[in-house]
Amino acid sequence: MTIRTALLGYGRSGSTMHAGAIEGCDAYEMAAVCDIDPQRRAQAAERFGCPTYADHHEMLRTEELDLMCVITRSDQHCAMTCDGLAAGVDVLVTKPWAANATEGERMIDAAADSGRKLLPWLPARWGCDLRRLQQLVAAGAIGRPFLARRVVSSFGTRNDWQTERRYAGGYLLNWGAHIVDPPLVLLGGQVQSVYGCMRQMMNPGDVEDLFMAVMTLTDGTIVQAEYTISVEEMPTWIVQGDEGTISVRGLDLSVHRSTAKAPDDPTQFATMQSEGTTVTHERLVGDPYGDQHEIYAELAQALRGEIAPPVTPDQALTLSRLFDAIRLSSEENRVVTLEQK
């Protein structure tokens, strides 16, 4: 079975990450491309030799499709996804799959009504850093983890729709799938409460260009996720355990392992730096944001019913509810407790 696929949105992400993966996997056939820009439509027609459309409604009426990939502006994801599902087509929707949990619930309902598959795009779950960290934590490399920090830092500005609230812009929605989700996947726990801080520091527009979220899991483990502005690149991961610490900078990973010892004399204060620390270094291989070719190959198996979908709508909805809680916490300057499902 060849999966007849339409690409809705042929901009920077659609024309590179998604189109390249579809093009490179024999399971898919690029059946149509839709974009409002006539120049992009011309580029897609030349590249794929397929029909192109300026309006996705016309495309859905005209083409016999198995899958539609929604790679458009964030505020358009929900409506376009529901349109595709209602037309009897499976839908992959890029991050953020929804602007908020209400939209996520609407899409889940649309998928249930149509009987079609809804596939949220969370590529960092395939990231080489997350996978290696999962291996190390499972092997007990740092004992019991009690705190994980995930940071992306940059120093620059942008001046596009991502700076405007009306388009569901802002760095929480744009980067949250890459920053908030992976450490939660690593530690495998539910978020009990969150304190969020969001600020607009350098970009124009009316949304945040940095955010921080401190999340307490039901087992007491702490996760700190942050997009920040910094000239000096910061560590992308720090995972702390009761027998060591893992740090990651880009593709460079280090494991510092030791066992803290109490002093023989209880009246004496133990050294603040344990002795006998061992340090190992390694260079990660792969992409921290996932290999789109690998992801699309797995998605093809899921679309054919051979495996379960690697990311479920319920998982994406849980993440949307967490984003909503981070935003509410920042707006009201308080800790927000999440309802346990």
Side-chain angles (χ1 to χ4, degrees):
M1 166 191 162
T2 300
I3 302 166
R4 288 180 53 80
T5 304
L7 195 59
L8 176 46
Y10 196 67
R12 182 179 61 84
S13 181
S15 65
T16 56
M17 179 185 301
H18 293 272
I22 294 167
E23 193 176 33
C25 183
D26 292 339
Y28 300 91
E29 173 192 347
M30 188 69 81
V33 172
C34 180
D35 198 286
I36 59 173
D37 188 326
Q39 184 176 357
R40 289 175 180 167
R41 293 198 300 274
Q43 292 169 349
E46 181 178 358
R47 179 178 179 180
F48 302 111
C50 67
T52 62
Y53 296 86
D55 179 78
H56 71 284
H57 296 285
E58 181 185 0
M59 180 181 71
L60 289 168
R61 288 192 301 266
T62 306
E63 300 294 333
E64 293 185 7
L65 301 172
D66 301 308
L67 175 68
M68 182 173 76
C69 302
V70 179
I71 320 295
T72 57
R73 215 173 51 211
S74 299
D75 63 306
Q76 300 172 317
H77 292 174
C78 177
M80 289 177 169
T81 295
C82 291
D83 290 340
L85 293 167
V89 178
D90 294 332
V91 177
L92 179 148
V93 56
T94 192
K95 58 84 188 171
W97 82 316
N100 49 54
T102 300
E103 287 191 355
E105 291 166 355
R106 179 184 166 195
M107 290 190 289
I108 288 176
D109 289 342
D113 291 342
S114 68
R116 307 308 304 181
K117 292 183 175 66
L118 173 57
L119 304 171
W121 180 255
L122 292 176
R125 291 192 174 196
W126 283 260
C128 62
D129 50 1
L130 174 59
R131 286 182 166 178
R132 182 58 179 140
L133 288 168
Q134 288 175 309
Q135 293 172 347
L136 289 167
V137 168
I142 56 169
R144 180 181 62 86
F146 58 84
L147 196 155
R149 307 168 193 257
R150 173 79 172 105
V151 180
V152 171
S153 57
S154 68
F155 193 79
T157 58
R158 62 190 303 165
N159 189 23
D160 60 356
W161 64 265
Q162 286 282 8
T163 67
E164 297 190 49
R165 186 180 301 273
R166 58 177 173 160
Y167 298 133
Y171 281 34
L172 176 61
L173 288 177
N174 189 27
W175 281 93
H178 298 325
I179 300 174
V180 177
D181 185 57
L184 297 176
V185 172
L186 174 66
L187 298 178
Q190 277 191 301
V191 178
Q192 177 175 283
S193 63
V194 60
Y195 179 75
C197 181
M198 302 165 62
R199 296 289 186 270
Q200 181 185 8
M201 300 302 298
M202 295 176 65
N203 281 347
D206 59 356
V207 291
E208 78 286 349
D209 52 17
L210 64 80
F211 70 85
M212 177 187 294
V214 179
M215 296 161 279
T216 301
L217 308 190
T218 52
D219 64 358
T221 306
I222 300 169
V223 170
Q224 181 174 311
E226 180 178 3
Y227 189 104
T228 194
I229 297 168
S230 175
V231 176
E232 175 68 19
E233 185 178 3
M234 302 175 71
T236 49
W237 287 88
I238 299 177
V239 184
Q240 297 165 239
D242 58 6
E243 295 180 13
T245 303
I246 306 171
S247 64
V248 184
R249 286 181 179 270
L251 295 176
D252 294 317
L253 182 148
S254 301
V255 180
H256 298 248
R257 183 175 175 83
S258 184
T259 301
K261 296 182 179 179
D264 294 332
D265 182 349
T267 65
Q268 299 299 310
F269 187 66
T271 175
M272 296 300 292
Q273 182 66 45
S274 61
E275 299 177 358
T277 299
T278 61
V279 183
T280 59
H281 302 280
E282 62 182 271
R283 180 77 174 173
L284 299 173
V285 177
D287 190 331
Y289 299 107
D291 180 341
Q292 61 265 29
H293 298 277
E294 178 186 359
I295 300 170
Y296 265 93
E298 284 192 36
L299 291 174
Q301 292 180 281
L303 289 164
R304 290 169 169 168
E306 298 168 359
I307 63 171
V311 179
T312 68
D314 284 343
Q315 290 169 341
L317 180 59
T318 296
L319 192 59
S320 291
R321 287 175 174 150
L322 179 53
F323 292 168
D324 290 351
I326 293 170
R327 190 177 305 279
L328 177 63
S329 174
S330 179
E331 290 172 350
E332 299 186 357
N333 191 28
R334 66 179 178 89
V335 174
V336 172
T337 300
L338 282 82
E339 180 181 350
Q340 300 303 305
K341 298 293 183 179

